[in-house]
Amino acid sequence: MLRRKIESILAEWKKSEHKKPIVIKGIRQCGKTYIVQKFAKENYESVIYMNFILEPDKKSAFTGNIDVDTILLNLSALIPGSRFISGKTCIILDEIQECREARTALKSFQIDGRFDVIATGSLLGVKGYGKKAEDGQDSVPVGYETVVEMYPLDFEEFLWANGINDKIIDTVKSCFEKETTVPEGIHKVMTELLYRYVIVGGLPEVVNKFLETRNIELTYQTQRNLISEYKEDMIKYADDVDKVRIRECFESIPKQLSKENKKFQYSAIRKGGRASQYTSSIQWLEDAGLVKRCYNTQITELPLEGNSMKECFKLYTADIGILVAMLDYGTQADILKGNLLGYKGAIFENLMADFLCKSGQKLYYFHKDSGLELDFLVRYKGECVVLEVKAKSGKTKSLRTVLKNKNVYHINNAIKLGNYNVGREEEVLTIPLYMGFLIKDSMADVIVPDIDLSLLT
C-alpha cells in the first residue's frame, strides 16, 4: 500500500462545509482509481462506483434529464443494490472524460448537495474536456467543481514507500532550511535512494514491482509496458493527422535532451520538421500529462511566466522513470553503478524537472545566443533564484557571469545541486541532488489593511 499526498487533499475536501464535486486529473496509471476507491471505502457508508471505459453502459444514466433524482433513478436500475444515503454516500465517476454528460451533471450534484462526488480522468486535457456537447452546452461545469492534478509518486512519497519515516525526512528538511550538513549515514542512504528513484520513477505499478522484486529487468519491463499503453492512447485518442506526429515528438525527447543546447528542435524529430507540423502534437502530450515544457525567459526577473517566450522551450518527461525507460536497455544498471558519462547531465536535469513539476511548479530556464545558459529559474523565498544541476564543483561560467553582474541580471542567489553535502559559498547554496524536492516557494501571508474611507470627506 503506497502512501499518497492526495489522500490529505481528499480528507480536507471532505471536511469542507460547502464542497463541490472534486475532479482528479492526471497521467494514466498514476494511481487515481486506487486512491479514490480506498478513500471512499474508508470514509463513507455507501460507495457508488462506475468506470466509463470498462462499463460504457453506465453512460446511459446521464442521458436526457440530468437532475440528480433522475440520475439516481437511472443508477439504481443499472447498479442493483446501490444505496443513496444523504450525507453518507460517495459517487465515483472514473474516467469521466468518456462521458461528457456526466461531467456536465456535476453542476446538478453541486447544487443538490446531498452526495459527495469524486470524478477522475486520465485524458481530460485531450478528450471531453471543455468540448461542446451535442446540445451545444459546454460539458465543463465552470464554477461547480474543484479540479486537482495528481502526479505519479514524488520523491518524498517514494521515500515513504521505501520505509523512510517522517522523522528522517524532517531531519533532511531541517538541514536544507538551516543550511547545515546532513549526517553522513542519512546522506548516504538518501543518495542511494535517489538513484533508485531515477531508474524507477513514480508510476505506482512500477514502484510496486520494484519493491516486490528488487529486479531491475522486471521493473524496466513494467515501464516499457506502460509506455506502450501511452503510445496506444496516442493512436486511440488523437486526431488522425496528429497520430504519427505525437509519437514522433514523444520518441524524440531523449535525443533532444542529449544536445548541448536542449531547446526543442522540430528538425530533430524529422528532417525538415517545422513548428506548424508539430505544435498540436506537443500540446497533446502535455495535456495527457506525459511531458512538461520548460520555457526560456527573456530576462532573469519575476514574474517568470510574464517574461517567458512560448516559442522557445525544452521538453522533459513528467516522470523521470519514463525518460530512463526510453533509453537503452541497461541504462538503469549504468546509473546505479555510476557508469554514465555525458548523458548524466540530461538525466539530472529531467530529475529536477520531475521535482518541480510534482510540487506544482512551472518550468523556466534562461539561454542567450552568446552561450550563457542557466538550467532552471524558480521563485524561491520571494525572489528569482537560479538552479544549477550539472556542475560537480565550483561555479559554472554562466552562473559566475550572472552573479557578478547583479545590476544587469538581478540575481542575488543561486542553488547548486550535485554529488555533495550542504554548504555555502557566498551567494551560492550547494545541496545534494536529493534535496531538489524541497525547493518550492510558499505564498507569503500578506494582510491587506483596511482603507480609511474617512479620508474621502
Side-chain angles (χ1 to χ4, degrees):
M1 185 185 301
L2 300 174
R3 176 183 169 192
R4 304 301 304 274
K5 294 177 180 178
I6 192 75
E7 294 181 83
S8 297
I9 295 174
L10 286 169
E12 288 299 316
W13 167 78
K14 186 179 186 302
K15 288 191 299 185
S16 61
E17 185 176 353
H18 301 291
K19 70 176 73 67
K20 302 175 183 178
I22 189 169
V23 179
I24 300 175
K25 66 175 186 175
I27 186 175
R28 280 193 61 188
Q29 303 297 334
C30 71
K32 298 183 297 298
T33 299
Y34 172 80
I35 286 297
V36 299
Q37 287 185 309
K38 174 177 177 291
F39 175 79
K41 183 178 179 180
E42 293 174 351
N43 290 277
Y44 294 89
E45 184 176 328
S46 176
V47 179
I48 310 299
Y49 173 83
M50 64 206 77
N51 183 310
F52 292 117
I53 289 181
L54 302 179
E55 305 168 293
D57 62 304
K58 300 298 189 295
K59 297 179 185 178
S60 63
F62 300 88
T63 57
N65 294 335
I66 56 171
D67 64 281
V68 172
D69 287 331
T70 299
I71 293 171
L72 298 187
L73 184 64
N74 293 339
L75 289 176
S76 297
L78 291 167
I79 309 175
S82 54
R83 295 184 304 147
F84 298 92
I85 309 168
S86 180
K88 299 180 179 180
T89 297
C90 181
I91 300 173
I92 301 175
L93 307 175
D94 205 356
E95 302 292 1
I96 197 172
Q97 76 277 354
E98 298 292 329
C99 184
R100 291 178 296 183
E101 294 79 8
R103 186 74 184 274
T104 304
L106 295 182
K107 178 177 180 179
S108 299
F109 280 105
Q110 199 278 327
I111 294 173
D112 181 87
R114 286 176 290 166
F115 311 101
D116 289 356
V117 181
I118 303 176
T120 76
S122 299
L123 294 165
L124 285 173
V126 299
K127 181 180 170 72
Y129 188 82
K131 294 184 178 180
K132 299 295 182 179
E134 292 179 359
D135 62 358
Q137 296 298 313
D138 196 330
S139 60
V140 178
V142 178
Y144 294 91
E145 62 181 22
T146 298
V147 180
V148 175
E149 186 155 8
M150 183 175 175
Y151 301 93
L153 277 77
D154 63 21
F155 184 54
E156 187 171 15
E157 292 171 323
F158 185 79
L159 293 176
W160 293 337
N162 281 272
I164 304 301
N165 60 45
D166 288 332
K167 184 177 180 180
I168 298 298
I169 297 174
D170 287 343
T171 298
V172 174
K173 290 179 180 179
S174 177
C175 290
F176 173 67
E177 292 166 0
K178 297 177 181 178
E179 299 185 11
T180 56
T181 302
V182 181
E184 188 57 34
I186 296 176
H187 178 66
K188 187 175 186 298
V189 170
M190 292 291 289
T191 299
E192 291 177 356
L193 284 170
L194 176 77
Y195 279 89
R196 294 183 183 190
Y197 179 69
V198 170
I199 66 173
V200 174
L203 293 169
E205 185 178 347
V206 180
V207 175
N208 280 323
K209 178 61 69 174
F210 173 75
L211 294 175
E212 290 166 7
T213 68
R214 304 291 175 176
N215 187 304
I216 295 177
E217 185 169 354
L218 293 177
T219 302
Y220 172 77
Q221 190 56 55
T222 304
Q223 290 171 318
R224 294 300 307 177
N225 290 342
L226 290 176
I227 289 173
S228 295
E229 290 183 21
Y230 294 144
K231 290 181 178 179
E232 289 174 9
D233 285 341
M234 298 171 197
I235 295 173
K236 181 178 180 181
Y237 294 110
D239 294 337
D240 289 341
V241 69
D242 284 330
K243 292 182 188 295
V244 174
R245 292 173 181 171
I246 291 171
R247 188 164 181 165
E248 286 178 332
C249 282
F250 181 64
E251 292 176 342
S252 79
I253 293 175
K255 181 170 61 176
Q256 301 273 358
L257 293 178
S258 70
K259 299 180 179 299
E260 185 65 28
N261 173 17
K262 298 176 179 61
K263 172 187 173 183
F264 193 85
Q265 299 175 339
Y266 300 100
S267 59
I269 303 174
R270 182 192 296 178
K271 187 176 181 180
R274 301 184 305 276
S276 59
Q277 297 173 304
Y278 291 102
T279 298
S280 60
S281 301
I282 294 174
Q283 188 63 54
W284 193 99
L285 289 169
E286 195 167 31
D287 289 343
L290 286 167
V291 304
K292 290 291 184 180
R293 273 185 268 207
C294 180
Y295 290 105
N296 194 7
T297 59
Q298 301 179 64
I299 53 177
T300 52
E301 296 177 6
L302 300 177
L304 293 168
E305 177 65 20
N307 292 317
S308 63
M309 298 182 285
K310 296 305 180 184
E311 71 283 357
C312 185
F313 58 88
K314 302 176 185 180
L315 205 62
Y316 295 106
T317 58
D319 182 79
I320 183 61
I322 293 176
L323 172 68
V324 174
M326 294 171 73
L327 301 174
D328 300 342
Y329 176 78
T331 300
Q332 289 88 344
D334 291 335
I335 292 172
L336 290 178
K337 295 175 183 177
N339 291 340
L340 285 183
L341 298 175
Y343 203 81
K344 191 175 183 179
I347 290 175
F348 286 153
E349 278 193 34
N350 205 131
L351 173 65
M352 192 66 235
D354 173 300
F355 288 155
L356 294 173
C357 288
K358 290 177 180 176
S359 64
Q361 301 179 67
K362 294 183 179 181
L363 306 180
Y364 305 96
Y365 75 106
F366 183 68
H367 176 80
K368 294 179 68 175
D369 293 338
S370 63
L372 189 150
E373 182 167 7
L374 305 171
D375 292 338
F376 294 97
L377 295 174
V378 296
R379 176 189 285 270
Y380 181 64
K381 293 186 176 180
E383 62 178 84
C384 183
V385 173
V386 177
L387 301 185
E388 285 290 301
V389 295
K390 290 187 291 190
K392 292 183 179 179
S393 61
K395 300 176 186 175
T396 63
K397 182 179 178 181
S398 293
L399 185 55
R400 285 199 306 269
T401 299
V402 167
L403 291 174
K404 187 178 179 180
N405 296 279
K406 293 182 174 59
N407 60 325
V408 176
Y409 297 103
H410 309 290
I411 294 293
N412 297 312
N413 291 283
I415 300 175
K416 185 154 61 69
L417 301 96
N419 188 26
Y420 29 66
N421 212 311
V422 179
R424 175 173 284 279
E425 183 182 349
E426 298 176 344
E427 311 101 322
V428 181
L429 171 66
T430 58
I431 60 173
L433 281 163
Y434 59 76
M435 279 188 174
F437 80 101
L438 298 174
I439 300 174
K440 59 188 77 172
D441 201 16
S442 57
M443 183 71 74
D445 291 329
V446 179
I447 305 299
V448 180
D450 291 334
I451 298 174
D452 184 359
L453 299 182
S454 64
L455 296 174
L456 296 174
T457 59

